[in-house]
Amino acid sequence: MDELLSVSVGGAFVGGDRPVLRENIDDLSRMVEEADVLLREKGRDDVDGFGWINLPYQDLSETIEIGRWLSGFEAIVQIGIGGSALGNRMLAKALLPPFYNELDASVRKAPKFYLLENPDPKTAVSLLDRLDLSKTAFIVVSKSGSTTETAAHFLWAWQKVREKMGERASDNFLIITDPRKGILRKFAKSTGCRSLNIPESVGGRYSVLSSVGLATASALGINIEKLVQGAKEMDQRLALRSHLWENPAWLLACINLLHAKAGRNMAVMMPYGDDLADFAEWFAQLWGESLGKEGCGTTPVRALGAIDQHSQLQLYAEGPDDKLITIIDVNNRPLFLLPDVVDIDALKDLEFLYGKALGDLLSIEARSTASALVKAGKPIIYLKIPEVSERYIGALVFFYEYVTALVGFLMKINPFDQPGVEQGKRYIYSLMGRKGYKEYVKEVEEYFGACQKMEIII
Amino acid sequence: MDELLSVSVGGAFVGGDRPVLRENIDDLSRMVEEADVLLREKGRDDVDGFGWINLPYQDLSETIEIGRWLSGFEAIVQIGIGGSALGNRMLAKALLPPFYNELDASVRKAPKFYLLENPDPKTAVSLLDRLDLSKTAFIVVSKSGSTTETAAHFLWAWQKVREKMGERASDNFLIITDPRKGILRKFAKSTGCRSLNIPESVGGRYSVLSSVGLATASALGINIEKLVQGAKEMDQRLALRSHLWENPAWLLACINLLHAKAGRNMAVMMPYGDDLADFAEWFAQLWGESLGKEGCGTTPVRALGAIDQHSQLQLYAEGPDDKLITIIDVNNRPLFLLPDVVDIDALKDLEFLYGKALGDLLSIEARSTASALVKAGKPIIYLKIPEVSERYIGALVFFYEYVTALVGFLMKINPFDQPGVEQGKRYIYSLMGRKGYKEYVKEVEEYFGACQKMEIII
């Protein structure tokens, strides 16, 4: 059986005066096994929050059909934020060619792809003024339908398209939302827009392998069957690994917990290669929002190799021992050989690069960084995938969802809720003048006032 | 006098069981004053590393002339990594229109702009195969000239352009490097390429206001005189603030130090608005590489408002109290009013958005997040700039360079070196087969071997 990924954790056992030892991990064996049983049981029963574990077994036909329809547009704009955007960004960056939107249509062979996430008027206006709206599909993604940023973009795009297309505006909209509840479901019904469901038991940050991530992926030519197949293979293989030292998800969950307990409060995610840049972004939401509660949780730190060797490596190597650093490497990259420039004497010192492969350089850098960090006594995890393609990205995504959920159980917190964002939402509603939220205006004035009490202007 | 920025630090005094109190800050008064004197003295003497403090007073004529020449190309590709790229990315993102490279040439009115940073063959090949090389300028930026990633991209671009243009290849290259030393200086001399100097006393991460950042900025239509003017105004105003509670740089330096000592080992940088997204990236290098040494340093965590409210806010609010969170807000944004969609009943719940300004929403979100974090007992700094334009970005950049240097002095470390990246470099050279580095191959095998000892494949 060919591999889906490999994990090297030797470096993770170091740790100076706060070591994480093999026996510490062994001690968790029973706990992680129980957590795994719980996860699979609740998944099987489709309990709220646990639904992502069933996504590898979904029927994709409706999503593929919608994808085919979407692929006929010149451009696709997905309106969403957080879990309704990050997964899409990650898949597009990993699996579409670089500079995708700038390529000629004949090379691209699929619509341009944009996300409207941040309620930033400059971005939004610049985008919608430039696109031919009659040839643009808008995908509005929100489970509740009431996410403020998404609602604002949606209202505006709807108005703009209606000005141009009148009653036919709904032909250019796809709604992805809760099967029954919420504003957007009502809207889809009343206007006749196409729609897809987000399964009720799947939360935003675990939704990339649902219609949320897959509809656009399919439209852009990403093979979503292979993506889901990779997730399924990972799920099935994990289910067969009943020993801690054979199950990479169990092992990583335990190691993460133990380093957190040892005071390493950051989980650095540092994949190598531009195509994996947004994987760290996606991971950061999954990890931060799932585990950051009740005073628990390690902070996900997004990094990118090799670039951050010239930005963060100094700190990782010689700063405090407060991080567990995951490096993701890729086995097969395009090689691309560097030329010999023998006729220019001034370049003689660069001779060592002549004839070398640029694709090898990235992996050499990943291994060098791993080695330098181990030498500096810092704990690392070195994870490798065979290549950046649908099957392996699907497997990697499912793997990290699994690890994150297990860490949540080991920390005895619910990895599927996010109570801490409600406060901010109430404040936003109150300042935007939404009915029923007036009482919070005072609170904002109080807390923001406290913050402004000492204001220095220069 | 109109303001360049304002800082509210009230929220920064909270801190549960590890508070940072007003009197703790007062106690540092003398130390920060001394650090400031040292910084300005060494700056005046142009001591190695301190040169950035003089950049606001540089003569820009040569850079502007080069910028004019560059602006005649269809595209500009800057080859550089770390400090030789991040500042450019930050300025372009902040001061050029959104989707810049996708705009029609008639709207753009300046060359397209690309960075070759990561040695990722997919990115590099895709870019160079697409551009008309005879109409593309390459800017090669490296102080030492021997940065591996930059050297690799440079060799390859040089060969490609030479294949196309023969002896005239050097007409399309600009070298930005040390005034006297290194491979690239020799190369520029022997081929007759245009070149600009990086002042010897200016390090990579403090170089954005030197030729490194300004040559491309000028070529792209950014007003670099205003940018530098903003830095100069900030410098002059800071010089006049001789009291801790009037000098925002002194205050922020003290607050950062005290929260670090109180165990908050992360400095979250969370600007609001797409245009400031890469400001956090630039800050992360400045902060991480300057302060992360000798076991010291807080880890810069890059965030972006409002997006990270849907990703990291849960953790910031309800996770451990281990961060000092800086929120950057902007006073004047384009407003852009949302439409009333009164004829669709299903949208009635979104009524509160009708007629509201999208530009206001971002600021409301920034203030709501600040309030929610203060309520949760987490320390924050709320920093506001009047608008995102050259003058204020120049001032903000200089301000953070100043704060970072002061924190370094307060921590009693040298904020201008980066000894910790050397180990990784030696390993890379050894694995690439560079002469004189063979001995390190064994070390890599040893440390990487230790890391792979426990490899799990699935």
Side-chain angles (χ1 to χ4, degrees), chain A residues 116 118-130 153 156, chain B residues 91-100 103 272-277 330 332-336 358-360 362 385 387-390 393:
Chain A
L116 274 185
N118 224 3
D120 185 321
K122 271 202 270 186
T123 311
V125 173
S126 163
L127 182 63
L128 263 66
D129 281 358
R130 201 158 46 83
H153 280 138
W156 177 55
Chain B
L91 292 179
K93 186 84 181 165
L95 300 169
L96 299 180
F99 310 101
Y100 178 76
L103 301 178
Y272 272 69
D274 292 339
D275 41 14
L276 294 178
V330 177
N332 293 309
R333 295 186 190 275
L335 284 179
F336 187 73
L358 200 59
D360 285 339
L362 262 186
I385 59 173
E387 62 178 28
V388 178
S389 63
E390 282 89 344
I393 293 296

Side-chain angles (χ1 to χ4, degrees), chain B residues 354-383:
Chain B
Y354 297 172
K356 299 288 165 59
L358 200 59
D360 285 339
L361 178 56
L362 262 186
S363 271
I364 282 177
E365 298 205 75
R367 297 203 304 273
S368 297
T369 298
S371 303
L373 290 170
V374 172
K375 181 171 188 184
K378 302 301 196 294
I380 67 154
I381 290 166
Y382 175 83
L383 190 151

